[in-house]
Amino acid sequence: AGAPPAPAADLPGTGGSTPPPGAPPRPPTPGRPWMPGAEQWIGQRGLLAVGVLALILAAGYLLKLAFERGWISPTMRCAGGVAAGLVVGALGWRMLERYRTYGASLIGCGAAIIYLALWAAARLYGLVPPTSGIAALALTSIALAAIAFAIDVQALGTTAAIGALFAPVLLGRDRAHADLLLLYLGCVGIGLGAVAALKRWRGTSAVVAVSYFGLGWAAAAQAAPLGALAYAIVGGAGGIALGLRERWWETRFLAFWGSWALLGTVSPRIEPHWPIVAAAVVLAAPVWRYALANPVVRPIRIVAASGPQGWLASEALYFFVTPMLVGWAVGRAVPEYVVDPRGIAALVVAAAYLAAGYGRPRPVFAVVGAAGLAWAVLDRWSGVAAPAALLALAVGFAAADHALERSDGRWYAALALAGALLHLLDHDLPARPPAEPAFVGPWALVLWLALGVSVALAAGLFRRTPDGDGPRLTRAGLWLVAGALALFGVTGEIDRWFRQAGLDPGTADLAGGLAVSAWWLLFAAALVVTGLRRGVRPARLGGLAVAGLAIAKVLLFDLSSLDALYRVASVFILGLVSLVLAYLYHRQARTSGP
């Protein structure tokens, strides 16, 4: 007991010598891994997978061999398979604490053996009816899902989802029970989907979505329409909300398009159609909620990434597609109660989005509402009434910016003005009746209204904000649009007036040509005078450009085609206006100084 301690060299596991006193300790030698990574993966996971699959195949072959040779009765075969699965699963449960992956694999293997035995009892041997077999398979899968939830292993949860949701496919023979199939798929899918949502199991969620909407769509055509509608609402709203919350593109893709496809499948069999509208609102609610909670849309990305806020491209797609689908649902219900339903569906959807977009500054909702309102106008009215209504919308959106201290309505106003001009010039002008009077006809009045709206927007109705050159360039463009409408609009109406004046064609052409030349010169003079008085160089340059067009017209066209009197008048007007403009430029130069 009193012997001195043995030297380090005599102790087992030592390096053999002790460093001398005062010497610095040796750096520890880095240990090498006990096994290379590839070898470890093959030994732990590869062989484990092979063993599990071999055990499942052995159980299947044993059942088959026992069936062919009559060793044991079918009841004993199936009971033995269930017992073997329980034993394997229990063994995996015992080993779970020390070897997590190994134990979880054995649990899944045991569940697969039990599943196979129950399937054989119901399908191969007919020992239990198909309904009882489906229930047994579902209970086995739910038990496995509960174990997966308890030990937090996603692979077991995914396996349980596959087994539970595909049990009717494996055992179902009678397609007349479509309602029971939807009820089964709904209960199992919602339960397993809730587990996947709580545990954030992405793979399990995708499997549940594929099974829920794929199998459900096949049964929805034969099931009771209201039951299929409820099935689509519950699964669709839950799946869309989960996919948006976690940003799982596959879950939200399957839930969004699957639920709307189910809605389209059952809608022809539902009368009246108001339940379709309610279902559409429920399916749109997760998309609206996500947009309300995440108002920052840009930057739009293709895949999720860390960094500033922004939407994914698929999220933006769902947001902008949703109002169209809701409008489709409203449109199916509106004709039952409205004599003239044109534009009503788009108006209802636009009102909802405008309320959300203007209740608080939410431009993404406001732009959808503005587009829906324009769609309602174009759907409701035809002819020149449509551009007139669009021009009224332009004024309203621009004025709302001033009243509500916003800055996005001006862009809706600019787009509404562009739509009105496109409709007026491309659609209404070719359809204008030849007998419609110039200057005061419906088409001309809407043209003057467009001119007035353009001037009002350019003069200040388009709200000015210190946010760069964009608004300034837009106002310059509005002035340019107003000038073009005035120049060419009046030109066209002058030509139309002389053609309707009852003159012979030659005289009408001569008089109209002279009047157009005079109008161009007067317009150019007005621009130059305005530019000189207000110091606006673009106005002066525009006036000189129009004057150049007028001079070219007089020299190249009027002098060669007009009769003597008209030719004298045209050249006289040209000279008079040119002298006035030159005088104004000389006076401006003298008063301004060098």
Side-chain angles (χ1 to χ4, degrees):
D10 299 331
L11 295 177
T14 61
S17 62
T18 303
R26 299 176 184 176
T29 304
R32 293 189 303 172
W34 69 279
M35 187 182 298
E39 181 184 356
Q40 182 179 1
W41 189 93
I42 294 174
Q44 289 183 345
R45 299 182 180 272
L47 294 180
L48 177 61
V50 172
V52 169
L53 291 176
L55 195 58
I56 296 174
L57 291 175
Y61 284 130
L62 180 61
L63 288 175
K64 182 177 182 296
L65 189 62
F67 174 73
E68 292 176 349
R69 300 190 179 184
W71 290 346
I72 54 177
S73 64
T75 303
M76 294 300 297
R77 298 167 197 163
C78 296
V82 172
L86 291 173
V87 170
V88 174
L91 180 61
W93 183 265
R94 289 290 302 272
M95 302 180 67
L96 188 65
E97 185 176 354
R98 297 183 60 187
Y99 308 104
R100 180 177 177 82
T101 303
Y102 192 87
S105 300
L106 290 182
I107 292 174
C109 177
I113 294 174
I114 296 173
Y115 198 91
L116 183 62
L118 294 175
W119 173 81
R123 184 76 174 188
L124 293 181
Y125 307 134
L127 299 177
V128 294
T131 304
S132 301
I134 292 174
L137 294 181
L139 289 175
T140 302
S141 300
I142 291 173
L144 182 60
I147 295 174
F149 183 84
I151 64 178
D152 196 12
V153 176
Q154 181 177 185
L156 291 183
T158 304
T159 304
I162 295 174
L165 292 169
F166 280 89
V169 178
L170 298 176
L171 297 182
R173 296 180 180 179
D174 187 4
R175 295 187 178 181
H177 300 305
D179 294 328
L180 293 177
L181 176 59
L182 281 186
L183 180 62
Y184 171 85
L185 292 175
C187 295
V188 175
I190 293 169
L192 294 175
V195 171
L198 290 174
K199 288 295 186 178
R200 293 189 168 183
W201 289 344
R202 184 171 185 172
T204 305
S205 174
V207 169
V208 171
V210 169
S211 308
Y212 188 94
F213 294 104
L215 301 176
W217 184 80
Q222 301 176 3
L226 290 179
L229 188 66
Y231 182 88
I233 291 173
V234 176
I240 294 171
L242 176 62
L244 290 173
R245 186 193 74 183
E246 302 294 341
R247 290 199 159 185
W248 295 342
W249 70 267
E250 59 280 343
T251 299
R252 64 174 175 261
F253 175 85
L254 294 168
F256 185 88
W257 298 112
S259 58
W260 282 105
L262 284 174
L263 204 63
T265 300
V266 303
S267 63
R269 297 189 291 134
I270 295 180
E271 294 289 346
H273 292 293
W274 286 110
I276 299 295
V277 178
V281 172
V282 173
L283 292 179
V287 180
W288 293 340
R289 181 178 179 274
Y290 182 83
L292 291 173
N294 300 274
V296 180
V297 178
R298 296 178 298 175
I300 296 180
R301 301 186 180 93
I302 301 299
V303 295
S306 59
Q309 291 181 331
W311 284 10
L312 298 176
S314 59
E315 295 168 352
L317 172 65
Y318 299 145
F319 179 80
F320 291 112
V321 169
T322 295
M324 302 180 188
L325 297 174
V326 174
W328 161 80
V330 174
R332 292 191 63 86
V334 164
E336 301 174 0
Y337 303 96
V338 180
V339 176
D340 187 4
R342 295 178 302 166
I344 299 298
L347 180 61
V348 171
V349 176
Y353 277 84
L354 286 175
Y358 276 87
R360 290 184 181 180
R362 299 187 184 98
V364 67
F365 280 88
V367 69
V368 175
L373 202 55
W375 187 287
V377 165
L378 295 175
D379 194 20
R380 182 72 180 181
W381 288 287
S382 59
V384 295
L390 289 177
L391 292 172
L393 289 182
V395 174
F397 285 130
D401 276 358
H402 295 272
L404 302 176
E405 297 294 328
R406 296 173 65 102
S407 60
D408 56 330
R410 54 187 178 169
W411 304 113
Y412 315 149
L415 291 176
L417 174 63
L421 292 177
L422 181 63
H423 195 285
L424 186 67
L425 299 176
D426 183 65
H427 184 270
D428 298 324
L429 180 59
R432 189 180 184 185
E436 182 178 299
F439 291 104
V440 294
W443 188 91
L445 292 178
V446 177
L447 179 66
W448 310 141
L449 178 62
L451 173 60
V453 171
S454 302
V455 171
L457 290 175
L461 193 56
F462 190 91
R463 187 164 182 249
R464 294 175 172 85
T465 55
D467 54 356
D469 295 333
R472 289 194 293 272
L473 293 176
T474 304
R475 289 194 299 273
L478 289 170
W479 281 118
L480 182 62
V481 168
L485 290 176
L487 177 64
F488 296 108
V490 173
T491 299
E493 295 305 299
I494 289 173
D495 182 72
R496 187 180 188 88
W497 188 86
F498 278 101
R499 291 183 183 277
Q500 293 177 346
L503 304 174
D504 62 272
T507 303
D509 289 341
L510 292 174
L514 174 61
V516 168
S517 299
W519 161 243
W520 284 14
L521 290 168
L522 292 176
F523 186 80
L527 286 179
V528 172
V529 170
T530 302
L532 290 174
R533 287 187 175 182
R534 295 184 174 272
V536 181
R537 186 168 180 266
R540 299 195 301 269
L541 295 179
L544 293 177
V546 176
L549 290 176
I551 292 171
K553 180 179 181 301
V554 170
L555 296 178
L556 300 178
F557 180 78
D558 292 354
L559 292 180
S560 62
S561 61
L562 298 183
D563 285 348
L565 183 59
Y566 291 106
R567 183 180 303 171
V568 170
S570 179
V571 175
F572 177 77
I573 295 173
L574 173 61
L576 183 61
V577 172
S578 300
L579 289 174
V580 170
L581 293 180
Y583 170 74
L584 292 176
Y585 267 98
H586 279 80
R587 189 178 70 173
Q588 182 70 19
R590 182 177 181 180
T591 57
S592 299

